[in-house]
Amino acid sequence: MTTTPESASSTQRDEDAVRRYVEHLGLTLSQIGMQRMPARVFAALMTTDAGRLTAAELADQLSVSPAAISGAVRYLEQIGLVAKEREPGSRRDHYRLFDDLWYATFMKRDRMITMWRDAADEGVSALGSDTPAGERVAEMRDFLSFMIKELNDMYAKWHEMRAEKAK
């Protein structure tokens, strides 16, 4: 077991086990629909104590080319999982996870669900609520409205639980 260079804590970890976990998490994420390289990059960022790495560090850790990292982090930025930042006076970009990653990610999804619900509502108007197609689209709209309400309640509960845990 070795101490991670990025961590000031006295916690020890098995770096081989961490590498295997990064690959396992990356594979799991790709099996549920994320592109393979972004999944591996996300897994690497999740498992680093600092929560941030440069493209060169990511390429070295994952044994891939800098070009593969570039495309992966661009994708992860677009879907709101990572942010790019640069230290003053530095020429290297760092990629980091958001502080409240899960909340921020799902809030973005919440906006997409709202747009989908609004489009469904427009469809009900266009199709007529008493037609078979209109009824199907109305059920979709109603389900999405239900999801939005439940997600908002869930977010509030999450923040309460997180605040309680931080005490």
Side-chain angles (χ1 to χ4, degrees):
M1 290 182 138
T2 60
T3 306
T4 61
E6 68 197 32
S7 174
S9 76
S10 62
T11 303
Q12 303 256 323
R13 64 187 206 177
D14 179 342
E15 291 302 319
D16 286 335
V18 172
R19 278 190 286 281
R20 284 190 303 275
Y21 176 69
V22 165
E23 293 305 321
H24 176 73
L25 180 57
L27 179 60
T28 300
L29 293 171
S30 67
Q31 288 172 335
I32 62 173
M34 188 181 282
Q35 297 171 11
R36 178 86 170 118
M37 188 53 59
R40 292 181 71 213
V41 168
F42 180 75
L45 286 168
M46 283 295 292
T47 59
T48 185
D49 288 338
R52 66 195 293 266
L53 294 167
T54 65
E57 291 167 333
L58 285 163
D60 183 55
Q61 182 176 335
L62 299 173
S63 300
V64 297
S65 72
I69 298 299
S70 176
V73 294
R74 186 172 30 257
Y75 172 79
L76 292 170
E77 283 180 289
Q78 288 172 348
I79 64 170
L81 290 178
V82 302
K84 179 171 45 175
E85 55 187 29
R86 187 174 285 184
E87 298 280 329
S90 173
R91 294 178 52 194
R92 290 186 163 193
D93 291 328
H94 286 81
Y95 299 94
R96 70 169 178 82
L97 301 172
F98 288 104
D99 293 333
D100 197 350
L101 173 66
W102 304 113
Y103 178 75
T105 299
F106 280 90
M107 284 304 290
K108 187 173 186 173
R109 299 282 190 265
D110 189 41
R111 285 189 295 277
M112 290 188 299
I113 293 170
T114 300
M115 290 171 61
W116 190 1
R117 189 254 344 254
D118 293 348
D121 194 43
E122 184 179 326
V124 171
S125 296
L127 297 165
S129 61
D130 56 350
T131 66
E135 289 173 4
R136 265 194 313 278
V137 175
E139 185 172 348
M140 177 174 63
R141 177 204 56 208
D142 295 346
F143 175 77
L144 293 169
S145 293
F146 169 79
M147 287 288 298
I148 291 165
K149 181 195 175 312
E150 292 298 312
L151 285 171
N152 288 332
D153 292 346
M154 187 177 67
Y155 297 146
K157 288 177 186 175
W158 165 249
H159 282 292
E160 288 172 19
M161 187 179 86
R162 194 170 180 226
E164 192 63 35
K165 187 177 179 182
K167 288 181 180 180

